[in-house]
Amino acid sequence: MERMKGLPVLPCACASLRRASRAITQAYDRRLREAGLNTAQFTLLQVMQLAGEMTQGNLGKLLALDTTTLSRTLRPLESEGWLECSTGGDRRERHWRITSAGRKVLERSTPAWVRAQKELGARIGEKRLKAMIEELAVFADAPRPRPAVRRAQRGARS
Amino acid sequence: MERMKGLPVLPCACASLRRASRAITQAYDRRLREAGLNTAQFTLLQVMQLAGEMTQGNLGKLLALDTTTLSRTLRPLESEGWLECSTGGDRRERHWRITSAGRKVLERSTPAWVRAQKELGARIGEKRLKAMIEELAVFADAPRPRPAVRRAQRGARS
DNA sequence: ACCTAACAGTTGCATCTACATATAATGGAG
DNA sequence: CTCCATTATATGTAGATGCAACTGTTAGGT
C-alpha cells in the first residue's frame, strides 16, 4: 500500500546505505550545482557555520570523515577564502572556522539546498524524512572506530 | 532514553546519509578486507549472484550507480574472472553475470560480511536494522533522475 | 532505404574518500 | 630535563564516483 514498485531491498545494510547515499547525493548535487557547490562542500560550510570553530580532527569525528580526507577537501575552501584556520595552543592542531565570505556563499546556496530537501520531503513525507535523519545519526555513531587493536599495532613489543 | 550522547543530528538529509554511509562503509570494509575485498566489490558480486544476468544499465539503476562508474568498477572484477559479460541481441548492451570463480569468492567473503552486519545489528538492534534497510530502499528510489529537462538539453534547435 | 533522435556504453577529467606512511608537536616516565 | 609513545596533520597512492563529451547501435518517421 506504500508503493507499488521501486528498487528492491538489498540484503546488505551497507549497500543499502551507499545506494541511498548515491541517489540522494545526485539529487542534492543537481540543485547545489546551480549555486556552484557540491554536497560535500556545502556540508562543510553548513556544519562550520553551525558548529563554530573546530579542530580538523573533531570535524572529522563529527562527519565520520578521515582527517586525511579533510586535509584535502578543506584546502580548496580555504583557497576560496570561505574557511580559514589557525593553530591553537597545541601547534599540531588546525582550528577551522567559517569566514564572512563563506557565510555569504552559504547564504547564497542555501535556497538550492532547501529546494533539494523540500523535494525529498515531498516524496517521502516530512515526518518520515525527519525520522530518517535522526535514525541516521544513530547509525553514524554506531560503529566506533575500534577502540582496541589500534595502539598495539606497531608498538615495539620486542 | 535511547542514547545519552553521540553524534549530533545534522540538518541536511543528504549529509546525514553520507556521514552514515561513510561510517558504516568503514566498518564493513575493515571486515571485508580480511577477505581481500572492499564493500563496493562485495556488493557487486552479491547483487549479481542474487539478480542473475543483467545489463550494465539495469545494474546501474538497481544500485543507483552511474553507468560510467560501472564501466570502471566492473572491469577489475572481469579481469579477476569473477564476472563476465557478453552482448545480447542489442549489440550496445553488455550483459553481465557472475562466474563460478566469482561465486567462490563471494562464498569465501560472505562470513566477513555476516560478521560486519551482525556487529551492526548488535549495536542498533536487529529489528531496527531491518527497518532501516527497508526504509533506505524507499529513499534510494525517491529521487527519480528527473524524466524531463534532459532531452532538450543539446538538441539542435537552430 | 534514409535520417535523425534516443539509447548503451566508454573515455577524459575532476572530486571524494581512505589506508599506509611520514612529520611535527605534546606529554608522561625516569 | 630527556626519551619515547601518543597525537594531529600531511603526503603518496589507489579506488569510487559522476558529469561532459564521444562512439557505436537501434528504432521511428518519412
Side-chain angles (χ1 to χ4, degrees), chain A residues 77-123:
Chain A
L77 300 186
E78 186 184 22
S79 302
E80 296 281 357
W82 300 338
L83 296 179
E84 61 184 8
C85 73
S86 54
T87 62
D90 186 333
R91 292 208 303 280
R92 292 171 300 180
E93 296 177 343
R94 289 171 75 101
H95 293 255
W96 290 91
R97 73 200 83 76
I98 193 168
T99 65
S100 56
R103 263 184 285 274
K104 200 164 297 180
V105 170
L106 182 59
E107 267 177 50
R108 188 158 54 67
S109 51
T110 294
W113 170 70
V114 169
R115 217 170 309 138
Q117 187 123 321
K118 279 246 184 295
E119 285 169 1
L120 182 56
R123 284 195 187 282

Side-chain angles (χ1 to χ4, degrees), chain B residues 41-55:
Chain B
Q41 296 169 334
F42 178 84
T43 297
L44 284 173
L45 290 179
Q46 191 182 46
V47 164
M48 289 312 299
Q49 168 71 47
L50 293 171
E53 182 165 312
M54 295 191 85
T55 66

Side-chain angles (χ1 to χ4, degrees), chain B residues 18 22 26 33 56-57 68 71-72 75 92 94:
Chain B
R18 290 164 62 83
R22 284 189 298 265
Q26 284 170 41
R33 170 167 295 215
Q56 191 168 311
T68 72
S71 272
R72 281 174 259 235
R75 200 170 313 164
R92 294 171 298 182
R94 289 171 76 101

Side-chain angles (χ1 to χ4, degrees), chain A:
Chain A
M1 206 182 293
E2 260 299 321
R3 292 181 149 252
M4 277 308 279
K5 52 182 310 174
L7 292 175
V9 173
L10 300 173
C12 175
C14 187
S16 303
L17 217 26
R18 289 164 63 82
R19 178 175 67 177
S21 178
R22 284 190 297 264
I24 305 294
T25 296
Q26 284 171 41
Y28 277 65
D29 271 345
R30 280 195 294 267
R31 286 288 171 232
L32 285 169
R33 169 168 297 216
E34 303 162 9
L37 292 176
N38 62 30
T39 299
Q41 296 169 332
F42 178 85
T43 298
L44 284 172
L45 290 178
Q46 191 182 44
V47 164
M48 289 313 297
Q49 168 71 47
L50 293 171
E53 182 165 312
M54 296 190 84
T55 66
Q56 191 169 311
N58 282 335
L59 183 55
K61 279 176 195 130
L62 177 59
L63 291 175
L65 260 172
D66 199 283
T67 304
T68 72
T69 300
L70 283 173
S71 273
R72 283 175 255 237
T73 53
L74 289 173
R75 201 171 310 166
L77 300 186
E78 186 184 22
S79 302
E80 296 281 357
W82 300 338
L83 296 179
E84 61 184 8
C85 73
S86 54
T87 62
D90 186 333
R91 292 208 303 280
R92 292 171 300 180
E93 296 177 343
R94 289 171 75 101
H95 293 255
W96 290 91
R97 73 200 83 76
I98 193 168
T99 65
S100 56
R103 263 184 285 274
K104 200 164 297 180
V105 170
L106 182 59
E107 267 177 50
R108 188 158 54 67
S109 51
T110 294
W113 170 70
V114 169
R115 217 170 309 138
Q117 187 123 321
K118 279 246 184 295
E119 285 169 1
L120 182 56
R123 284 195 187 282
I124 300 291
E126 290 296 342
K127 203 159 186 166
R128 220 167 154 187
L129 181 57
K130 184 170 183 302
M132 173 58 97
I133 289 176
E134 283 167 10
E135 189 72 349
L136 284 169
V138 177
F139 272 69
D141 194 40
R144 322 283 167 85
R146 288 179 312 178
V149 180
R150 235 186 340 192
R151 50 209 87 266
Q153 203 69 317
R154 202 164 40 265
R157 180 76 49 103
S158 59

